Amino acid sequence: MKKLTSGILLVVMSSSFIVANAQQTKPSDTLKTQEIEGVVVTALGIKREKKSLGYSSQQLNANQVNSSPTNNFLNNLSGKVAGLDVKMNSNFGGSTNIVMRGIKSITGNNQALIVVDGIPISNANLNTNDAKNARDGFDFGNAASDIDPNNIESVNVLKGAAATALYGSLAANGAIMITTKKGKKNSGLGISYSSTVSVGTFDKSTFAKYQKDYGQGYGGEDSSYIGDINGDGIDDGLIASTGDDASYGNAFNPNVLVYNWDAFIEGHPNYQKATPWVAAKNDPTKFFKKAYSMINSIALNGGTEKSTYSFGYTNNYETGILPNSSLNKNTITGNFSHDLSSKLKTNAFVTFTNQSTIGRNNVGYGDNIIGGFRQWWATNVDVLDLREQYFRTKKNATWNMISPTGGNLAPNFWDNPYWSRYENYESDTRRRFLTGASLSYEITKNLNLLARVGIDYTRDKQEIRKAVGSHAEEFGLSQTNQSSGYEIFTRDFMQQNYDFIATYDMKIGEKVTGKLTGGYNFIKRDIEAFNASTTGGLLKPNFYALQNSKTFIAPIETDVQYKKSGVYGQASFDYDRTIFLEGSYRYDKSTALPAANGGYGYWALGTSFIFSELIKQPWLNLGKLRLNYAEVGNDPEPGRFGWLNNNGAISDAALFDLSNTYLDFSQLRPEITKSWEAGIELQMFKNRLGLDVSVYKTNSTDQIFSVPTSAASQYLFKMINAGDLENKGVEVALSGTPVKTENFAWNVNVNWSRNRNKLIYLDEGRTNLQLANFQHTSLNATVGEAYGTIRGTDYVYDGNGNKVVGDDGYYLINNDQVLGNIQADWLGGISNTFKYKNFSVGFLIDIRKGGDVFSLDQAYGQETGLYPNTVGLNDLGNPIRNTLDQGGGTILPGVKEDGTPNDIRIDGSYSTGIFGSVNPEKAFVYDGSYVKLREASITYTLPNEVFRGTVIRSASFSLLGNNLWIIHKNLPMADPEAGSSGGNVQGYQSGVMPTVRTISFNVKVNF
């Protein structure tokens, strides 16, 4: 990566600096000139000239947002916006993590706010805490996926605190402003149709590679045993160690006959037959199938002299690479505006989404078949043979039996993977209704009043099934090991948003103009949720209902109400359209905080200087300097503190107790972020070259987090305000058109950003706060380090950095060490578009440098002997897995405690002898860097002459590719982006899905 890094630094630019291709505008500028200069959507949906802004923003057009088919438009922002860290994990229908300019809240929300046509909406992630912390569960995605990318006209990304101060704590982490498509006045009916068909295959470089030399077992050559197959009391021959879920067994030998799992399954062709001891023809790579999707979208729009309208419908149907996985989403959109008079105007929009999903993949460590494939598998087992056996009987015939010779064919650790997919599947539905309306009244030419209301309602339902006869795993509310069960979760979410905004334009003398904005905002949020499960298993097989439970445990019912009201004001002035000055203040009152501290204010001040008005050069179209400072608050998630736990009942007596968090939270205050930013924008050579550079620094203080407390308090934890988390960084965006002729144009956009995060302070006497505890390592906030340190065991090193071994030849280990950090060194994206006549070719390179990942898949997969590095020859030319007396084993690189080179050979003939958990966790921490060919496209637009005399106005055909090639990565057999869920907990992999490489064909027709 070193050469790559230096090369990228020479050409850091941006893929989406669109609207700033501006020339200077005087009050009398024509509309065309203003469009060239750029008008963008800012906080509260207010349109502003981009050159007047004292803060950084970056806009993407409809083609960039909908550049490739996706069920979450956020995925298409990756690599296109400087300073925006987009992490799309590989889970089917999974969540996307979006963090702007670094983590600001240690334990709170760090996701950017999503705003549609001026109305903030929910981007909730309904994954369980276990799933978010890499335990068992499912990734149910985040609510941003309900937004139809076909209906997006543009996206403007507001990055800094000054840019979003008017939104208050909702946008403490930045905002993504979405403008939807609308009709145009005085236009006839226009119809557009788009159809996309996609085929996806899993990227083999992101999945396990298996050694083919040794089979099932943990004990090397002692794994297989002699036993009785047919029950006649006479030993029949060698039996594979079917109870083991590892491949550290006997060496394969086609001349040796062994009774495998299939020899004990009645009806199987190999029943009571010994077969050659060889590696399976079909390993788990054959478990994955091709993924298919079809997206069809139709839109109608138009307008009269006083009205505009736009209506759309999109159906997105897709199947995943796992068997029995599908997602079907229908989206209906509408937008309508009408001028009731020359002064009174109305607008309304609506979006309805209905999504149903079957067969999401399990995540984390637990009942996750991908974890089985990556960590615990027998290389002599044919996965397609397991498929045939399941469909032959629809029973749980597993390769991993407890005691086949004893008659116990139940799974010891793992079910048949096809049983897991077709019997133990989850399903979920989400119905969302998003609507808004506004009424604008122009009292005078300079004074405007706007009233706006928005409603965001979602109904979610999730069901999880575990069929009778499954291996017992943690399940349901009790999280005890159960071999069958049913769990249901429902949630009703309602958010109401009300705005009243007044704006007044004024002119002070010949050269000074100004705009005053004032308003009131009220948000009301109601969440009702119900979570229940069977306990102890199902009474009747295949009947999935709560009343089918063997025992009863009370459900968890949630009712959270949240209100926040805010008043704000903003004043903007400019001098001769050259110097701009803007200040804003907002005061909020939030019920998420105690009444005494629920009110808090924040402010912002920004300025910009258009120096190209003074430096008149023909090559300089726009030159701008900007500077701002802001302080914003961030209140906690509603309902986070002081709730009650329902522990059921005994003898009709309800068992309720207070949660173990701090009961008296009356002293809690909002988190406060103080931020400053400076930048320069340039447009040169007739707008052929554009540059946008930002530097910023933020300090987020009064962090809200829990700390242990004394037993005398009767609570395990208390919530406090403390800490200081700092972010500082640089963003560079450069756009250019190196070549432009009558028939050919080459556009290039590259962006680069570097954020440095550091925890300055926690609380008195505390230097570390554990954020999540994984099976081997933990994620932490450590004073003096960036947020997200990975802590665990490390090697002992001598003064020269050599690893030190003990007298037994194994590495000495240091406990509780910092092993790495999840933060990237820098992010970048390079996009190129080449247009020749009616052809267009484009591609996007997405780059992440740095950021560490701990792989439990590698730790266990090496320990159980799955991977190629666990076999081979040692320095003596003998197999590593031979016993020491057979010349096997290996000498670990390093030195002894006396400094001499290590010469102690250790045994590698059994599991844990050399690989896996006998090594410190540092051995399985990898650099998460990558370089990806994220997108590629070839488009042909038919000439207009073809459609003369027809109802068709235009048509185009596109061949699209997504996640086509991971050009570089350091993490073996997995995608560095892959994970369990969106959210703060990152940098850990266990049973992660492989990445899907997608090829699509698209047709667009406009009538």
Side-chain angles (χ1 to χ4, degrees), residues 618-652:
W619 57 269
L620 182 63
N621 304 105
L622 172 68
K624 169 184 168 182
L625 297 173
R626 61 175 187 264
L627 178 68
N628 67 71
Y629 177 84
E631 294 186 9
V632 297
N634 190 9
D635 57 349
E637 182 180 354
R640 184 177 174 189
F641 311 122
W643 63 87
L644 289 172
N645 287 333
N646 180 350
N647 290 334
I650 296 179
S651 301
D652 297 326

mmCIF file of all heavy atoms in Angstrom, residues 618-652:
data_model
loop_
_atom_site.group_PDB
_atom_site.id
_atom_site.type_symbol
_atom_site.label_atom_id
_atom_site.label_comp_id
_atom_site.label_asym_id
_atom_site.label_seq_id
_atom_site.Cartn_x
_atom_site.Cartn_y
_atom_site.Cartn_z
ATOM 1 N N PRO A 618 -8.601 35.861 -16.183
ATOM 2 C CA PRO A 618 -9.455 35.089 -17.103
ATOM 3 C C PRO A 618 -9.493 33.603 -16.774
ATOM 4 O O PRO A 618 -10.475 32.930 -17.102
ATOM 5 C CB PRO A 618 -8.805 35.352 -18.477
ATOM 6 C CG PRO A 618 -7.405 35.796 -18.170
ATOM 7 C CD PRO A 618 -7.476 36.516 -16.864
ATOM 8 N N TRP A 619 -8.446 33.079 -16.133
ATOM 9 C CA TRP A 619 -8.417 31.653 -15.810
ATOM 10 C C TRP A 619 -9.162 31.319 -14.530
ATOM 11 O O TRP A 619 -9.452 30.150 -14.249
ATOM 12 C CB TRP A 619 -6.977 31.170 -15.673
ATOM 13 C CG TRP A 619 -6.177 31.931 -14.634
ATOM 14 C CD1 TRP A 619 -5.430 33.035 -14.824
ATOM 15 C CD2 TRP A 619 -6.082 31.620 -13.237
ATOM 16 N NE1 TRP A 619 -4.864 33.461 -13.653
ATOM 17 C CE2 TRP A 619 -5.246 32.597 -12.657
ATOM 18 C CE3 TRP A 619 -6.613 30.615 -12.422
ATOM 19 C CZ2 TRP A 619 -4.933 32.595 -11.294
ATOM 20 C CZ3 TRP A 619 -6.303 30.621 -11.077
ATOM 21 C CH2 TRP A 619 -5.471 31.597 -10.517
ATOM 22 N N LEU A 620 -9.506 32.340 -13.716
ATOM 23 C CA LEU A 620 -10.140 32.108 -12.418
ATOM 24 C C LEU A 620 -11.624 32.468 -12.504
ATOM 25 O O LEU A 620 -11.997 33.627 -12.573
ATOM 26 C CB LEU A 620 -9.454 32.947 -11.340
ATOM 27 C CG LEU A 620 -9.989 32.778 -9.910
ATOM 28 C CD1 LEU A 620 -9.786 31.349 -9.420
ATOM 29 C CD2 LEU A 620 -9.295 33.768 -8.970
ATOM 30 N N ASN A 621 -12.463 31.449 -12.498
ATOM 31 C CA ASN A 621 -13.904 31.680 -12.539
ATOM 32 C C ASN A 621 -14.486 31.940 -11.158
ATOM 33 O O ASN A 621 -15.415 32.720 -11.011
ATOM 34 C CB ASN A 621 -14.615 30.476 -13.160
ATOM 35 C CG ASN A 621 -14.090 30.151 -14.533
ATOM 36 O OD1 ASN A 621 -13.356 29.186 -14.708
ATOM 37 N ND2 ASN A 621 -14.427 30.982 -15.517
ATOM 38 N N LEU A 622 -13.970 31.248 -10.157
ATOM 39 C CA LEU A 622 -14.442 31.438 -8.794
ATOM 40 C C LEU A 622 -13.304 31.148 -7.826
ATOM 41 O O LEU A 622 -12.622 30.125 -7.933
ATOM 42 C CB LEU A 622 -15.621 30.510 -8.482
ATOM 43 C CG LEU A 622 -16.084 30.483 -7.014
ATOM 44 C CD1 LEU A 622 -16.715 31.820 -6.634
ATOM 45 C CD2 LEU A 622 -17.058 29.340 -6.750
ATOM 46 N N GLY A 623 -13.109 32.055 -6.875
ATOM 47 C CA GLY A 623 -12.175 31.833 -5.782
ATOM 48 C C GLY A 623 -12.840 32.232 -4.484
ATOM 49 O O GLY A 623 -13.338 33.355 -4.355
ATOM 50 N N LYS A 624 -12.861 31.321 -3.532
ATOM 51 C CA LYS A 624 -13.624 31.553 -2.306
ATOM 52 C C LYS A 624 -12.868 31.023 -1.104
ATOM 53 O O LYS A 624 -12.314 29.922 -1.123
ATOM 54 C CB LYS A 624 -14.988 30.861 -2.417
ATOM 55 C CG LYS A 624 -15.783 30.783 -1.125
ATOM 56 C CD LYS A 624 -17.061 29.985 -1.336
ATOM 57 C CE LYS A 624 -17.741 29.634 -0.028
ATOM 58 N NZ LYS A 624 -18.951 28.835 -0.230
ATOM 59 N N LEU A 625 -12.844 31.813 -0.035
ATOM 60 C CA LEU A 625 -12.345 31.385 1.265
ATOM 61 C C LEU A 625 -13.518 31.328 2.229
ATOM 62 O O LEU A 625 -14.418 32.171 2.173
ATOM 63 C CB LEU A 625 -11.284 32.357 1.800
ATOM 64 C CG LEU A 625 -10.000 32.490 0.996
ATOM 65 C CD1 LEU A 625 -9.143 33.613 1.581
ATOM 66 C CD2 LEU A 625 -9.226 31.178 0.980
ATOM 67 N N ARG A 626 -13.528 30.345 3.104
ATOM 68 C CA ARG A 626 -14.616 30.238 4.071
ATOM 69 C C ARG A 626 -14.068 29.875 5.451
ATOM 70 O O ARG A 626 -13.019 29.232 5.578
ATOM 71 C CB ARG A 626 -15.651 29.200 3.627
ATOM 72 C CG ARG A 626 -15.110 27.791 3.481
ATOM 73 C CD ARG A 626 -16.224 26.794 3.146
ATOM 74 N NE ARG A 626 -15.705 25.442 3.171
ATOM 75 C CZ ARG A 626 -15.286 24.771 2.105
ATOM 76 N NH1 ARG A 626 -15.342 25.347 0.908
ATOM 77 N NH2 ARG A 626 -14.817 23.540 2.228
ATOM 78 N N LEU A 627 -14.810 30.280 6.478
ATOM 79 C CA LEU A 627 -14.404 30.025 7.856
ATOM 80 C C LEU A 627 -15.661 29.992 8.709
ATOM 81 O O LEU A 627 -16.575 30.806 8.519
ATOM 82 C CB LEU A 627 -13.460 31.127 8.345
ATOM 83 C CG LEU A 627 -12.970 31.029 9.798
ATOM 84 C CD1 LEU A 627 -12.034 29.829 9.976
ATOM 85 C CD2 LEU A 627 -12.248 32.324 10.195
ATOM 86 N N ASN A 628 -15.727 29.042 9.653
ATOM 87 C CA ASN A 628 -16.883 28.997 10.544
ATOM 88 C C ASN A 628 -16.518 28.390 11.885
ATOM 89 O O ASN A 628 -15.510 27.684 12.021
ATOM 90 C CB ASN A 628 -18.044 28.214 9.906
ATOM 91 C CG ASN A 628 -17.730 26.733 9.736
ATOM 92 O OD1 ASN A 628 -17.663 25.992 10.723
ATOM 93 N ND2 ASN A 628 -17.546 26.306 8.489
ATOM 94 N N TYR A 629 -17.367 28.689 12.862
ATOM 95 C CA TYR A 629 -17.262 28.088 14.187
ATOM 96 C C TYR A 629 -18.678 27.783 14.658
ATOM 97 O O TYR A 629 -19.618 28.553 14.404
ATOM 98 C CB TYR A 629 -16.585 29.024 15.184
ATOM 99 C CG TYR A 629 -16.532 28.454 16.581
ATOM 100 C CD1 TYR A 629 -15.520 27.579 16.952
ATOM 101 C CD2 TYR A 629 -17.501 28.768 17.524
ATOM 102 C CE1 TYR A 629 -15.477 27.034 18.228
ATOM 103 C CE2 TYR A 629 -17.469 28.232 18.803
ATOM 104 C CZ TYR A 629 -16.452 27.367 19.145
ATOM 105 O OH TYR A 629 -16.413 26.819 20.410
ATOM 106 N N ALA A 630 -18.841 26.653 15.362
ATOM 107 C CA ALA A 630 -20.176 26.281 15.831
ATOM 108 C C ALA A 630 -20.076 25.461 17.101
ATOM 109 O O ALA A 630 -19.081 24.772 17.354
ATOM 110 C CB ALA A 630 -20.917 25.487 14.753
ATOM 111 N N GLU A 631 -21.139 25.537 17.888
ATOM 112 C CA GLU A 631 -21.324 24.671 19.040
ATOM 113 C C GLU A 631 -22.714 24.058 18.932
ATOM 114 O O GLU A 631 -23.702 24.782 18.802
ATOM 115 C CB GLU A 631 -21.186 25.447 20.353
ATOM 116 C CG GLU A 631 -19.792 25.986 20.605
ATOM 117 C CD GLU A 631 -19.648 26.627 21.972
ATOM 118 O OE1 GLU A 631 -20.591 26.507 22.785
ATOM 119 O OE2 GLU A 631 -18.597 27.246 22.227
ATOM 120 N N VAL A 632 -22.776 22.730 18.962
ATOM 121 C CA VAL A 632 -24.058 22.041 18.836
ATOM 122 C C VAL A 632 -24.201 21.036 19.964
ATOM 123 O O VAL A 632 -23.216 20.545 20.516
ATOM 124 C CB VAL A 632 -24.207 21.328 17.475
ATOM 125 C CG1 VAL A 632 -24.201 22.313 16.340
ATOM 126 C CG2 VAL A 632 -23.117 20.280 17.292
ATOM 127 N N GLY A 633 -25.456 20.733 20.313
ATOM 128 C CA GLY A 633 -25.739 19.757 21.354
ATOM 129 C C GLY A 633 -26.162 18.425 20.761
ATOM 130 O O GLY A 633 -26.526 18.332 19.593
ATOM 131 N N ASN A 634 -26.118 17.386 21.583
ATOM 132 C CA ASN A 634 -26.550 16.053 21.163
ATOM 133 C C ASN A 634 -27.204 15.383 22.363
ATOM 134 O O ASN A 634 -26.526 14.989 23.305
ATOM 135 C CB ASN A 634 -25.357 15.226 20.671
ATOM 136 C CG ASN A 634 -25.792 13.937 20.008
ATOM 137 O OD1 ASN A 634 -26.976 13.727 19.755
ATOM 138 N ND2 ASN A 634 -24.837 13.073 19.721
ATOM 139 N N ASP A 635 -28.540 15.317 22.349
ATOM 140 C CA ASP A 635 -29.207 14.671 23.471
ATOM 141 C C ASP A 635 -29.192 13.159 23.283
ATOM 142 O O ASP A 635 -29.004 12.657 22.176
ATOM 143 C CB ASP A 635 -30.631 15.196 23.644
ATOM 144 C CG ASP A 635 -31.490 15.040 22.403
ATOM 145 O OD1 ASP A 635 -30.931 14.711 21.337
ATOM 146 O OD2 ASP A 635 -32.703 15.241 22.490
ATOM 147 N N PRO A 636 -29.363 12.396 24.353
ATOM 148 C CA PRO A 636 -29.284 10.933 24.251
ATOM 149 C C PRO A 636 -30.515 10.349 23.581
ATOM 150 O O PRO A 636 -31.523 11.033 23.361
ATOM 151 C CB PRO A 636 -29.189 10.490 25.712
ATOM 152 C CG PRO A 636 -29.879 11.576 26.465
ATOM 153 C CD PRO A 636 -29.576 12.844 25.734
ATOM 154 N N GLU A 637 -30.435 9.082 23.274
ATOM 155 C CA GLU A 637 -31.561 8.387 22.680
ATOM 156 C C GLU A 637 -32.725 8.356 23.660
ATOM 157 O O GLU A 637 -32.545 8.034 24.832
ATOM 158 C CB GLU A 637 -31.148 6.968 22.304
ATOM 159 C CG GLU A 637 -32.233 6.164 21.631
ATOM 160 C CD GLU A 637 -31.771 4.763 21.290
ATOM 161 O OE1 GLU A 637 -30.581 4.469 21.484
ATOM 162 O OE2 GLU A 637 -32.607 3.964 20.836
ATOM 163 N N PRO A 638 -33.939 8.680 23.221
ATOM 164 C CA PRO A 638 -35.082 8.682 24.141
ATOM 165 C C PRO A 638 -35.288 7.316 24.784
ATOM 166 O O PRO A 638 -35.140 6.275 24.143
ATOM 167 C CB PRO A 638 -36.261 9.039 23.234
ATOM 168 C CG PRO A 638 -35.658 9.728 22.059
ATOM 169 C CD PRO A 638 -34.317 9.108 21.870
ATOM 170 N N GLY A 639 -35.618 7.328 26.082
ATOM 171 C CA GLY A 639 -35.893 6.085 26.788
ATOM 172 C C GLY A 639 -34.667 5.324 27.206
ATOM 173 O O GLY A 639 -34.763 4.187 27.663
ATOM 174 N N ARG A 640 -33.504 5.946 27.083
ATOM 175 C CA ARG A 640 -32.275 5.212 27.351
ATOM 176 C C ARG A 640 -32.028 5.025 28.854
ATOM 177 O O ARG A 640 -31.376 4.080 29.268
ATOM 178 C CB ARG A 640 -31.100 5.967 26.729
ATOM 179 C CG ARG A 640 -29.769 5.261 26.858
ATOM 180 C CD ARG A 640 -28.680 6.043 26.142
ATOM 181 N NE ARG A 640 -27.364 5.468 26.365
ATOM 182 C CZ ARG A 640 -26.240 6.043 26.000
ATOM 183 N NH1 ARG A 640 -26.271 7.201 25.381
ATOM 184 N NH2 ARG A 640 -25.076 5.472 26.236
ATOM 185 N N PHE A 641 -32.549 5.931 29.664
ATOM 186 C CA PHE A 641 -32.221 5.913 31.083
ATOM 187 C C PHE A 641 -33.444 5.641 31.948
ATOM 188 O O PHE A 641 -34.548 6.104 31.662
ATOM 189 C CB PHE A 641 -31.608 7.255 31.508
ATOM 190 C CG PHE A 641 -30.511 7.703 30.608
ATOM 191 C CD1 PHE A 641 -30.577 8.915 29.944
ATOM 192 C CD2 PHE A 641 -29.418 6.885 30.388
ATOM 193 C CE1 PHE A 641 -29.575 9.321 29.100
ATOM 194 C CE2 PHE A 641 -28.407 7.288 29.545
ATOM 195 C CZ PHE A 641 -28.469 8.498 28.897
ATOM 196 N N GLY A 642 -33.233 4.928 33.057
ATOM 197 C CA GLY A 642 -34.229 4.822 34.097
ATOM 198 C C GLY A 642 -35.422 3.950 33.767
ATOM 199 O O GLY A 642 -36.474 4.079 34.383
ATOM 200 N N TRP A 643 -35.337 3.017 32.817
ATOM 201 C CA TRP A 643 -36.475 2.194 32.474
ATOM 202 C C TRP A 643 -36.612 1.026 33.449
ATOM 203 O O TRP A 643 -35.748 0.748 34.255
ATOM 204 C CB TRP A 643 -36.359 1.687 31.039
ATOM 205 C CG TRP A 643 -35.179 0.799 30.812
ATOM 206 C CD1 TRP A 643 -35.095 -0.546 30.991
ATOM 207 C CD2 TRP A 643 -33.887 1.199 30.350
ATOM 208 N NE1 TRP A 643 -33.856 -1.014 30.678
ATOM 209 C CE2 TRP A 643 -33.087 0.029 30.289
ATOM 210 C CE3 TRP A 643 -33.324 2.435 29.995
ATOM 211 C CZ2 TRP A 643 -31.760 0.063 29.876
ATOM 212 C CZ3 TRP A 643 -32.003 2.448 29.580
ATOM 213 C CH2 TRP A 643 -31.240 1.282 29.533
ATOM 214 N N LEU A 644 -37.729 0.322 33.335
ATOM 215 C CA LEU A 644 -37.979 -0.835 34.191
ATOM 216 C C LEU A 644 -37.765 -2.115 33.417
ATOM 217 O O LEU A 644 -38.047 -2.197 32.224
ATOM 218 C CB LEU A 644 -39.415 -0.800 34.719
ATOM 219 C CG LEU A 644 -39.749 0.276 35.759
ATOM 220 C CD1 LEU A 644 -41.249 0.278 36.012
ATOM 221 C CD2 LEU A 644 -39.005 0.027 37.051
ATOM 222 N N ASN A 645 -37.279 -3.146 34.102
ATOM 223 C CA ASN A 645 -37.158 -4.470 33.514
ATOM 224 C C ASN A 645 -38.326 -5.329 33.988
ATOM 225 O O ASN A 645 -38.642 -5.352 35.177
ATOM 226 C CB ASN A 645 -35.850 -5.141 33.945
ATOM 227 C CG ASN A 645 -34.652 -4.517 33.269
ATOM 228 O OD1 ASN A 645 -34.771 -3.984 32.180
ATOM 229 N ND2 ASN A 645 -33.506 -4.571 33.921
ATOM 230 N N ASN A 646 -38.944 -6.035 33.065
ATOM 231 C CA ASN A 646 -40.036 -6.943 33.401
ATOM 232 C C ASN A 646 -39.461 -8.344 33.517
ATOM 233 O O ASN A 646 -39.014 -8.923 32.539
ATOM 234 C CB ASN A 646 -41.099 -6.884 32.303
ATOM 235 C CG ASN A 646 -42.263 -7.809 32.585
ATOM 236 O OD1 ASN A 646 -42.221 -8.644 33.494
ATOM 237 N ND2 ASN A 646 -43.317 -7.663 31.801
ATOM 238 N N ASN A 647 -39.464 -8.889 34.720
ATOM 239 C CA ASN A 647 -38.905 -10.224 34.950
ATOM 240 C C ASN A 647 -39.983 -11.266 35.181
ATOM 241 O O ASN A 647 -39.744 -12.286 35.835
ATOM 242 C CB ASN A 647 -37.954 -10.192 36.155
ATOM 243 C CG ASN A 647 -36.689 -9.428 35.849
ATOM 244 O OD1 ASN A 647 -36.289 -9.328 34.691
ATOM 245 N ND2 ASN A 647 -36.054 -8.864 36.863
ATOM 246 N N GLY A 648 -41.196 -11.015 34.680
ATOM 247 C CA GLY A 648 -42.246 -12.012 34.823
ATOM 248 C C GLY A 648 -42.945 -11.918 36.161
ATOM 249 O O GLY A 648 -43.016 -10.868 36.783
ATOM 250 N N ALA A 649 -43.469 -13.058 36.632
ATOM 251 C CA ALA A 649 -44.246 -13.054 37.873
ATOM 252 C C ALA A 649 -44.119 -14.394 38.582
ATOM 253 O O ALA A 649 -43.872 -15.429 37.963
ATOM 254 C CB ALA A 649 -45.711 -12.751 37.574
ATOM 255 N N ILE A 650 -44.271 -14.362 39.918
ATOM 256 C CA ILE A 650 -44.337 -15.558 40.747
ATOM 257 C C ILE A 650 -45.543 -15.413 41.658
ATOM 258 O O ILE A 650 -45.677 -14.418 42.378
ATOM 259 C CB ILE A 650 -43.050 -15.745 41.585
ATOM 260 C CG1 ILE A 650 -41.849 -15.987 40.656
ATOM 261 C CG2 ILE A 650 -43.219 -16.905 42.565
ATOM 262 C CD1 ILE A 650 -40.552 -16.146 41.411
ATOM 263 N N SER A 651 -46.443 -16.401 41.609
ATOM 264 C CA SER A 651 -47.649 -16.376 42.446
ATOM 265 C C SER A 651 -48.400 -15.057 42.285
ATOM 266 O O SER A 651 -48.793 -14.410 43.263
ATOM 267 C CB SER A 651 -47.285 -16.613 43.917
ATOM 268 O OG SER A 651 -46.646 -17.863 44.070
ATOM 269 N N ASP A 652 -48.578 -14.662 41.050
ATOM 270 C CA ASP A 652 -49.321 -13.448 40.711
ATOM 271 C C ASP A 652 -48.657 -12.163 41.182
ATOM 272 O O ASP A 652 -49.260 -11.091 41.118
ATOM 273 C CB ASP A 652 -50.748 -13.499 41.273
ATOM 274 C CG ASP A 652 -51.544 -14.638 40.676
ATOM 275 O OD1 ASP A 652 -51.318 -14.941 39.486
ATOM 276 O OD2 ASP A 652 -52.367 -15.218 41.399
#
